[in-house]
Amino acid sequence: MVQAFSITDIGKRRKINQDYVFVSVSPIGVLPNLFIVADGMGGHNAGDYASKYTVEKIEEQVRESGLTEPADMLGCAIREANAYIRSMAREDEHLSGMGTTVVASTLSDGLLQVANVGDSRLYIVNQNEIRQITRDHSLVEEMVRMGGIDRMTARSHPDKNIITRAIGALDTVEVDFFRETLHPGDIVLLCSDGLTNMLEDEEIHRIVVGAASLSEKGKRLVGAANDNGGKDNIAVILIDPFSEQKET
């Protein structure tokens, strides 16, 4: 039985929470489960609108989809969400310029399938390692790939929050897809950059493998991010793909 826990937190610096999560361990359409993190951006209430309605549109599209392949379903749903957010932004000047990241995943029989736009992340964590599966769509990440800067410099770079892809940015959106085989002991972590900008991967790993329940892991991650500054909203989803006991 798949077990999951989600938590969002406004952090210590923000006045509103623009992160939005969706968790279903029950089927959504033909998918056996669905997990989504979105990190909104934009003035006024536009960022929280973008993240909330992007997630809701993806869930709606997946539920009603006639497709059968998970990657096709997620990709189509994300593109429909992008068109919806673009349409809403054109119709309401208060929503102009809004956008959001999104990372979405589903798993079945040990196979994890992931779709990603932006710099929210998905990791696989076990006793031995923490491994980032998604690749950030950010200016700094592009600089790292090109060899312009190293990972250590990237963490404190002044442009680290500039993303190169987002839902709502353009009329068309390019989605990255990943497939990973999971093994007993693996924990799947989806999160916004409010977590990863405050905590090194090694600290995330230590907390995830050190805490007992998924809820304890999630609350400790949020607490540690806030203790380190809490400069942004924080969103966390933790999934145990091989759990024999449902989280209470």
Side-chain angles (χ1 to χ4, degrees), residues 25-47:
V25 296
S26 302
I28 301 293
V30 301
L31 294 185
N33 44 62
L34 183 60
F35 310 95
I36 311 171
V37 165
D39 178 1
M41 65 204 77
H44 305 288
N45 294 323

Side-chain angles (χ1 to χ4, degrees), residues 79-146:
R79 287 186 285 270
E80 287 292 333
N82 183 73
Y84 179 73
I85 294 301
R86 293 285 289 174
S87 174
M88 292 300 99
R90 284 192 294 268
E91 293 174 7
D92 186 343
E93 65 179 17
H94 295 103
L95 302 178
S96 179
M98 71 174 173
T100 184
T101 70
V102 67
V103 57
S105 66
T106 186
L107 55 95
S108 179
D109 297 326
L111 179 64
L112 176 72
Q113 302 203 53
V114 185
N116 181 60
V117 177
D119 64 353
S120 293
R121 295 178 178 178
L122 184 143
Y123 291 89
I124 296 175
V125 187
N126 55 44
Q127 286 291 333
N128 297 321
E129 65 176 354
I130 177 170
R131 189 158 51 96
Q132 182 181 339
I133 304 304
T134 53
R135 291 192 299 266
D136 297 351
H137 301 135
S138 68
L139 181 61
V140 168
E141 180 63 21
E142 293 296 332
M143 293 167 69
V144 171
R145 289 181 202 166
M146 298 279 291

Side-chain angles (χ1 to χ4, degrees), residues 6 11 15 25 56 67-68 74 85 100 103-104 121 134 136 138-139 141-142 149 166 192 198 205 209 222 238:
S6 66
K15 293 183 178 179
V25 296
E56 290 182 353
L67 300 172
T68 56
L74 291 175
I85 294 301
T100 184
V103 57
R121 295 178 178 178
T134 53
D136 297 351
S138 68
L139 181 61
E141 180 63 21
E142 293 296 332
I149 60 174
S192 64
M198 294 295 98
H205 180 255
V209 301
V222 168
L238 289 155

